[in-house]
Amino acid sequence: MNTHLNIFRTYAKENRRYQLENDLTRALAICMQEDSLFFHEILKSILDPKYVNEFFNDLSSLNQIEINIQKNSSEINGFEKIFAVSLSEYVMLPEHFWNQNYETLYDPICDIVININGIVIIIEAKRDNVDCTAQLYNQVFNILKKNELTEELKEIVVPVNLNWQKLMEIAVKAYSFEKATNAPNRFLNDFIDLVKNHNFRWLPEPSIFSVSPDNTDAIYRRIESVINELNKKEEFNKLDYNNRLGLSLKQPWAQEILFSISENGDLIVAVYPGNTKSQGAYIFNQDSKPKDFISVGNKQYQVSIAYHVKFTSFQRYFTGLWFTEKDLIEELYTKDNFWKYCGRKKRGKDWDEISQLFDKTLNANFNWKKDCEWEAKIIKSKRSQFDMSFGYELSTVIPFQELRETDQNKSDLSGLTVLIESIYNEFRTIYI
């Protein structure tokens, strides 16, 4: 999915510092409203068990639930208990809450207010490590003052530290369960994505040092966190795809650099030069060749080269040929062949010439017609033309063990970030 289509994310790359807090608050409230499992798990983490049992243990119960955001304290009444919840990186201790004495009389606005059968939950959310204890205390003090209940403050109010890490553990577990039952919730997925892009540390995400090489999902998520961090910088742009992970390369010969994880936990980095005719024209006109190695720190990594002949129709890829040097009996990617065969090709003579070209240059053991389904997808199709390009796949592999040595602290992405940024810069200048 295009990341701009995240329900909760604004169409802007830069974080609006103060608006972000409102975005997070609103997103959380909507998710509680739209995802019953998530909301129930949050209630279990905040309320005393006796209230959860009282509300939900009887099929005939008629529970009245209200979720509001930005509600004035003067509008809150008719309650028997208030749970005052701090949602921040800062850990609020109950004794810290009760030590507050800054009792200013005003009408504060509460971020999120939940009312269940006269039990009120007030959530004060912060986007970072801000201590909101005094603010939260004043909110409940003013609520009780308006209702003439300040003398019963300690009997009525229960301070609760939720914090973002705890909340996101709940969110991830709920969403994982929903996916396992084939009922993923779009709202919760987008909320997790919003939070992860703001601060990956809030999500339960182990370092690569802590996972096994066959846990490819965890390794992939860690690399994605690095890409998200780089995306916050002006010079980087994360690709808007849901089926592959990468960054814009912005070179005349290639537009993307992609990252994937092998079955044994290695990081595979690849670019695809010559993916279009204009990209190919740059390569063949410059008569440029890619480097055999890239250098990252004091290490060198070999660059593997594969070939990809791409067939498109109305700018949509429909088939292609993948092969390596061993599949060639004579050079195919020459400047003369590029200008003669790449581009738009009409049914008839053009297609016959392309067929003859592949018969002449590709090894007989490599059944190119079967590989690209030449008969079914081209000859017997209703197409009258297609576009062909001569492309490459340039890739390198960073072994799992080196990723593991680089990423040992789940709260510190700097080692992996330096690694990915260095690889990116090497691939940007891979042609000489």
Side-chain angles (χ1 to χ4, degrees), residues 130-142:
V130 171
D131 180 4
C132 60
T133 310
Q135 185 178 356
L136 189 59
Y137 178 87
N138 264 281
Q139 288 171 1
V140 297
F141 175 82
N142 277 275

Side-chain angles (χ1 to χ4, degrees), residues 141-185:
F141 175 82
N142 277 275
I143 292 169
L144 267 64
K145 183 70 176 178
K146 178 185 177 295
N147 288 272
E148 300 180 350
L149 293 169
T150 51
E151 296 298 321
E152 302 172 48
L153 185 67
K154 288 195 174 184
E155 287 73 36
I156 293 176
V157 177
V158 179
V160 178
N161 172 65
L162 183 56
N163 75 60
W164 282 105
Q165 287 87 348
K166 191 185 297 184
L167 176 69
M168 296 317 296
E169 280 187 19
I170 294 171
V172 169
K173 286 179 181 178
Y175 187 69
S176 295
F177 179 81
E178 289 166 352
K179 283 204 302 181
T181 56
N182 294 317
N185 186 288

Side-chain angles (χ1 to χ4, degrees), residues 307 323-332 356-366 368:
Y307 300 93
F323 54 95
T324 62
E325 197 69 36
K326 66 179 178 61
D327 298 311
L328 291 166
I329 51 179
E330 66 176 78
E331 192 173 4
L332 172 60
Q356 292 165 15
L357 172 70
F358 292 151
D359 283 338
K360 182 178 70 170
T361 56
L362 289 165
N363 195 306
N365 293 326
F366 177 73
W368 68 266

